[in-house]
């Protein structure tokens, strides 16, 4: 997560700190959580035409941002883990929301841990460019409205957890997938 904080005049980069800070939630057929994977497939687990095993992806960051800070810009950067999986060149369109919690917990627990979390009103649609080489990095559109909604909550303090939830865009469904490095 990369963001600019106007109040602190800083640009801050935050990574995934722990294996339970990123997860995949399989949504159909065999609903379950996948924790500690070496990669995150967005929004399908399995390649092919069409891809199968749709899932939601969650990523958690500990943010050292004081309550009410003005977030000038924010984005996540995904790094390609594979560029040759079936579906890698097909369109991937996702929606990103934040968990509406002043201190989001790590992933675990129930089979629907990602989708059971309350989410922000703010969201961003992102058409993730095709992965053509391993290590390729793609930056999301600005997520500052999502981050701002979270850090403005009562109970938010510096060091709390922020979760971003990434799901297929129901208004513009994906026909491919992106296999991304996990934390």
């Amino acid at each position: 997560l990369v963001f600019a904080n106007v109040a602190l005049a800083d640009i801050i980069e935050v990574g995934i700190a722990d294996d339970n800070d990123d997860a995949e939630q399989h949504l159909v057929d065999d609903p379950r959580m996948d924790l500690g994977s070496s990669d995150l497939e967005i929004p399908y687990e399995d390649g092919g035409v069409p891809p199968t095993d749709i899932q939601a992806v969650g990523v958690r960051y500990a943010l050292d941002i004081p309550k009410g800070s003005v977030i000038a810009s924010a984005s996540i950067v995904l790094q390609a883990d594979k560029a040759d999986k079936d579906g890698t060149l097909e369109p991937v369109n996702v929606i990103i929301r934040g968990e509406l919690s002043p201190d989001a917990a790590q992933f675990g627990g129930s089979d629907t841990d990602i989708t059971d979390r309350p989410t922000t009103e703010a969201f961003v649609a992102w058409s993730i460019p095709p992965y053509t080489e391993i290590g390729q990095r793609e930056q999301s559109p600005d997520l500052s409205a999502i981050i701002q909604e979270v850090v403005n909550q009562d109970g938010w303090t510096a060091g709390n957890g922020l979760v971003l939830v990434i799901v297929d865009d129901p208004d513009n469904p994906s026909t491919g997938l992106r296999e991304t490095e996990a934390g």
Side-chain angles (χ1 to χ4, degrees):
L1 181 66
V2 178
F3 63 96
N5 180 329
V6 172
L8 298 176
D10 286 333
I11 295 178
I12 300 169
E13 292 188 34
V14 179
I16 301 294
D18 186 273
D19 280 348
N20 290 333
D21 283 341
D22 58 20
E24 299 163 314
Q25 179 189 321
H26 301 266
L27 300 176
V28 294
D29 297 332
D30 182 19
R32 62 188 158 77
M33 292 292 292
D34 187 359
L35 302 171
S37 178
S38 64
D39 53 36
L40 301 171
E41 291 88 6
I42 302 170
Y44 292 96
E45 176 72 23
D46 300 319
V49 181
T52 58
D53 196 4
I54 194 159
Q55 55 190 14
V57 170
V59 290
R60 181 180 179 274
Y61 304 93
L63 296 184
D64 195 20
I65 302 296
K67 180 184 182 334
S69 294
V70 177
I71 309 302
S73 65
S75 62
I76 58 172
V77 176
L78 302 180
Q79 183 172 326
D81 183 52
K82 289 189 180 169
D84 59 353
K85 195 168 187 173
D86 285 343
T88 299
L89 299 177
E90 300 301 317
V92 170
N93 306 299
V94 297
I95 298 293
I96 303 172
R97 291 185 185 273
E99 178 182 343
L100 192 58
S101 167
D103 191 12
Q106 289 184 311
F107 299 105
S110 80
D111 290 340
T112 54
D113 187 32
I114 294 173
T115 57
D116 283 349
R117 295 170 183 240
T119 57
T120 57
E121 289 292 322
F123 69 92
V124 170
W126 182 19
S127 294
I128 304 172
Y131 287 171
T132 57
E133 61 184 66
I134 295 172
Q136 174 181 334
R137 296 168 57 90
E138 296 297 338
Q139 183 171 328
S140 75
D142 184 24
L143 305 175
S144 60
I146 296 168
I147 310 302
Q148 193 70 65
E149 189 174 340
V150 173
V151 302
N152 284 350
Q153 293 178 91
D154 289 337
W156 175 269
T157 60
N160 281 5
L162 170 120
V163 162
L164 296 175
V165 175
I166 305 168
V167 297
D168 196 37
D169 185 343
D171 296 329
N172 191 13
S174 300
T175 57
L177 65 106
R178 302 293 178 265
E179 189 162 333
T180 298
E181 291 285 345

